[in-house]
Amino acid sequence: ISKFAILLFGIAVICAIIVMGANEFANNKEVIIYAVATGLSMIPASLIVVLTITMAAGTKRMVERQVVVRKLDSLEALGGVTDICSDKTGTLTQGKMVVKKAWLPSSGTFSVGTSSDPIDPTQGDLSYSSIHPAQLTGPQDKRLAENDQVKPFQELLDDHPQLEAYLNIASLANLAKIHKADDGWKAVGDPTEIAIQVFASRFKWQRERWTTGDSPKWAQVAEYPFDSDVKKMTVIFRSKEKDMVFSKGAVERVIQSCTHIQKDANAEPVELTEEISSEILSHMEALAAQGLRVLALASKEWHDETEKSREKNEQAPREDVEKDLVFQGLVGLYDPPRPESKGAVQECHEAGIVVHMLTGDHPGTARAIALQVGILPADMQSLAKRVTDSMVMTASQFDKLTDDDIDNLPVLPLVIARCSPNTKVRMIDALHRRGCFAAMTGDGVNDSPSLKRADVGIAMGQAGSDVAKDASDIVLTDDNFASILNAIEEGRRMFDNIQKFVLHLLGQNIAQACTLLIGLAFKDDENLSVFPLSPVEILWVIMITSSLPDMGLGFEVAAPDIMQRPPQSLKTGVFTWEVMIDMMVYGLWMAALCLSAFSIVLFGFGDGSLGVGCNNSIDQGCGTVFRARATTFVCMTWFSLFLAWEMVNMRRSFFRMQPKSTKYFTQWAIDIWRNKFLFWSIVAGFVTVFPTLYIPVLNDRVFRHIGITWEWIVVIIETILFFAGVETWKWCKRIYFRRQAKKLNFNHKDLSQSVFARYNTEEVEKQV
C-alpha cells in the first residue's frame, strides 16, 4: 500500500499539471484551485485512517475470540496462512492428562478406570492384569485376553512389593502438588507431573507424605530439571538408610541410561540386554498405539564419589547421576483431544490449510492422536509407502536429512514426533522453500527461534513462557487449536474488508479524476475550461463519501464461504487483478454517467451556453452551467455512496447477496440494515446533498451550483443506469469465475478432500 500511495501521489501531480496545461497555465485562481482539487481526487486521503481503525477494531474482535494480537501486520498475514504447525499437548488435546496404564516388568499392567475429574485420586477404579501390553497386540490368534481385576490399592501394594519402588519414582521425581480444598481437588504444576502425582496418590503415596512433617522419610538433595535435549528429569533424595536417584523421561533416553532392569520383585536387578530393551520398546509401542504418552521410570542407589572435589553448593555432574540406572517400568498417560479439535482440523482442510503436528511424544502416540483429530488421513494404507513414510517421522529421522533431501520428499511430514526446537526451525524453512506461508505454535523458551522464523508466531497464553510470548505475533488466551482457526477467519475477514474499501475508495477516485480531466474539454468564450464539478464539490464528495462508508465496509461481517476458499496470496496482496479491473470498470462507468448527466442538462435540455467566468460566478449567463454542475454533483455523490453497498460483496448481486434466502424482494433491505454503521453513513451522505443544493448563498457562492427541479429525473435515471451497469459487470464476473472453476474442476466442498487427495496424485506416484 505504501508503494501504491507513492504511485498515486505521482499521478495526482500529473493530473494537476494536465489541468494547468489544458488552460495554457493561465494565472487564474479558480484554475489553480481546480488543479489542486483534481490532484486531491486521486489521493485516498482517508485510507490510512480507515485502515488503522479497521485493524484496531479487528484486534478487539479477536480478543473476544480468545486471541491477543501483538503485531498489527500479522492480521493481514493470518489471511494467507497455508500451513499450521501445532504442538499437541494442551493445544490439540485438553492438557488434562491422566495415567491410564502403569507397566512393571516384574508384575504386569496396572490400569485406571474412567474418572470425571482427572485430578481427583479417589475417582476411577484401580485394576491389575498379569498380561503385558505387547501381548495384547499382533495377530488375533496370538493375542491374549485381558484379565483386569479391580482391587483396592492396599491389596495391590501387598501383592506387588516392587510397586513401592515404582511409586517412589512417580511421586518424588515430580514437582507437582495436589491437595483437597473445600471446593474440590486442586493441583499445581506441569500437567504430565500432575497426572503421575495423582496416580501415586491413588496408593496414598503422594510426595507430601514422604517429604513433609516432623521427621520426613525422604529429603531432596539435588534436582536436574527436564531438558529438551536430555529429555529426562532426575532428583536425588536422601533417607536415613541411603541416597537414591529417581529419574523419569522419554523411554528411549531412559533406556540408554539404564544398565539393569528389575525383572523380579524379590530378586536382584538383571542386566539390561538388547533383547530386553527391544521387549521394553515393544511394550511402549503397544501403549503408544492406544494414544498414550509413554514415559519410563528408573532409579539407582547413589554413592557420591565426587563430593569432596566439588564446591559446597555444587551438584554432582548430571552425566554421572543419570548413568547405570535400573529400569523400573513405564507409565502411559492419556491426554484426550479437545472435543472441538477434530472439527477445527476439518475446517482447516476445508479452508485449504494443511495442519502439521510437531510434538515431543512418541511416534505411536502422535500418530494415534493425529488420526483421532483428522491430521492424518484415515485411509493411509491406500497411499504409496514413500508418501506414508514421509507423513509420520521422528525428529531424528527428519534432522538427518539435508535440505535437498527434505525438498525431494513427496510430502512434508504431517506428524513429527520427539520434536526438538531445531526441528521446528527446519520445518518452517522447508515450508518456506515450498512457497508455503506458515504459522507455528510454541510455549517454551526454546520455541522462540521457530516462532520468530514463522510467518505468524503463535504463543500460548496459559502455558506459554514470557520469552515465547515476546517472540510471537499473536497469543492464544485459551491455548486452544480452534482459536487459531478463529484468528485465521478474522484475518481473512479483515483482508476481504480491506479489499472492499480499497476498491470503493480508488474506484470513486478514478471516477472523480476522469470526470474532472475529461470535463476540461468544456471551454467557455474565454477559452477557459468550465468545470463539471467545483473545487468545493470535489472536497465535499471526498469527505462525505470516503471515510465513514469505508469504515463501515471495514466492519462488515465475514462472508459465509470465507473458510471454504483457498488462502489468499500475500505476494499479490490486496491489489489482485480482479480488484484492479473492477476499479477501472466502476470508475469509468461512474465518470461516463456523471459526464453524460452534465451534458444532458447543458446541451440536451439547456441552451448549450457555457457563459463567461462560470467557475466563479452565476452572473454572466451561467445558470444552466450551475444546474448541470448540481446534477453532476448529486450523481457523483450518490454513485460513490451506493458503490459502498455494492462492495459488500464483490461478486454477488446487491439485490441477492444471500442466494439461499427465500425473501426474494426484501433480502437486500435486510442486508443493508445488518451493518448499521455503513447504513447510517450512506444515509447521512445521501441526505446532506439537499442542504448544499437549496440553502441560499451556500449553494451558489460556496458550491458554485444552484437547486435543481426537473433535473432530478436525470439523476434518477442515471442512478438506475449506475446500478444496472454494476450489476451487469458482477453478472459477467460470476459467469467467468464459474467457468474458470469448472475448467479447473474446483469445488470448495472438495477442498478438505484435496488436502489428502493430492498425496495420491500421479505426480507423487511418479516420484515414488
Side-chain angles (χ1 to χ4, degrees), residues 265-302:
N266 299 316
E268 289 294 315
V270 299
E271 184 180 353
L272 183 64
T273 62
E274 287 291 330
E275 183 182 351
I276 296 175
S277 296
S278 298
E279 286 181 17
I280 295 172
L281 292 175
S282 66
H283 295 313
M284 177 195 67
E285 295 282 357
L287 293 174
Q290 301 174 37
L292 302 183
R293 182 183 183 189
V294 186
L295 300 178
L297 306 185
S299 63
K300 73 173 180 179
E301 191 170 341
W302 174 241

Side-chain angles (χ1 to χ4, degrees), residues 38 41 52 90 95 133 135 139 175-176 180 215 217 245 276 288 305 343 382 396-397 486 535 562 574 595 642 713 741:
T38 304
S41 70
T52 304
Q135 294 174 318
L175 303 181
K180 188 174 183 180
S215 55
K217 180 177 180 180
V245 172
I276 296 175
E305 298 174 355
S382 65
S396 58
Q397 292 171 329
N486 294 338
I562 197 165
V574 174
L595 288 169
F642 295 150
I713 297 174

